[in-house]
Amino acid sequence: MAEKPTGTEETQKSLLHNVRRWGESPFPPTLLATLITAQHARPPQFMPLLFPPVLLFSAYLNLNDYVVDSAGVTAAWSGLYLLMARRRKQAFASKWSVRGMVRGATMGTCVVNLLGGGLVYAFGKRTPEEEAAEKDVVVKR
């Protein structure tokens, strides 16, 4: 009979598994697009509002079985938004307002998307049909 993993091994596997599942899901880019829109729609800010359409397109890709590519797009654009959002300084008192909480949730979601999407994109495998098609294209050239 197989040995049961120790508590530490089980925790590490489940954490890695949960991060990978987060990166493979279409929900995180949709959540991030919603939070970004809620934060920057009033008053309208042009630069941050460029992110939600790309993130929603990433969710669309995920629903059409391009999970690895969607994870890469989500990770990249989450990282870009995180870099842009970190540039804005915020006073300590405003961090505890509703707007500050939404900003914190947005940045936290960006970090988790960056980790989960990066993990799936780095170690994800495409379907065998797509791999065979990529090899044929390379051979034909």
Side-chain angles (χ1 to χ4, degrees):
M1 195 154 134
E3 294 180 26
K4 291 184 180 179
T6 62
T8 308
E9 291 174 4
E10 191 174 301
T11 303
Q12 289 174 350
K13 287 182 183 178
S14 67
L15 178 63
L16 187 62
H17 182 69
N18 287 339
V19 171
R20 184 176 179 91
R21 278 193 2 217
W22 179 270
E24 291 175 346
S25 173
F27 175 69
T30 307
L31 174 67
L32 185 59
T34 303
L35 289 172
I36 291 172
T37 303
Q39 200 173 7
H40 299 289
R42 290 188 71 135
Q45 299 170 352
F46 176 70
M47 191 64 167
L49 287 177
L50 292 176
F51 289 87
V54 176
L55 291 166
L56 291 174
F57 178 70
S58 174
Y60 174 75
L61 283 176
N62 194 316
L63 292 172
N64 284 320
D65 294 332
Y66 294 102
V67 176
V68 175
D69 302 321
S70 169
V73 170
T74 301
W77 283 84
S78 294
L80 286 173
Y81 182 81
L82 188 63
L83 287 174
M84 187 186 75
R86 291 282 300 160
R87 293 186 65 214
R88 293 189 307 267
K89 299 298 177 194
Q90 191 174 20
F92 183 75
S94 65
K95 289 181 184 181
W96 303 105
S97 66
V98 173
R99 191 171 184 96
M101 296 288 185
V102 171
R103 181 174 188 255
T106 305
M107 292 178 72
T109 305
C110 282
V111 169
V112 176
N113 282 352
L114 188 60
L115 293 175
L119 179 73
V120 170
Y121 187 73
F123 299 111
K125 293 192 175 28
R126 292 182 171 86
T127 61
E129 294 85 20
E130 289 176 340
E131 289 177 358
E134 287 176 3
K135 289 178 183 175
D136 289 340
V137 171
V138 174
V139 172
K140 289 180 183 178
R141 289 184 181 182

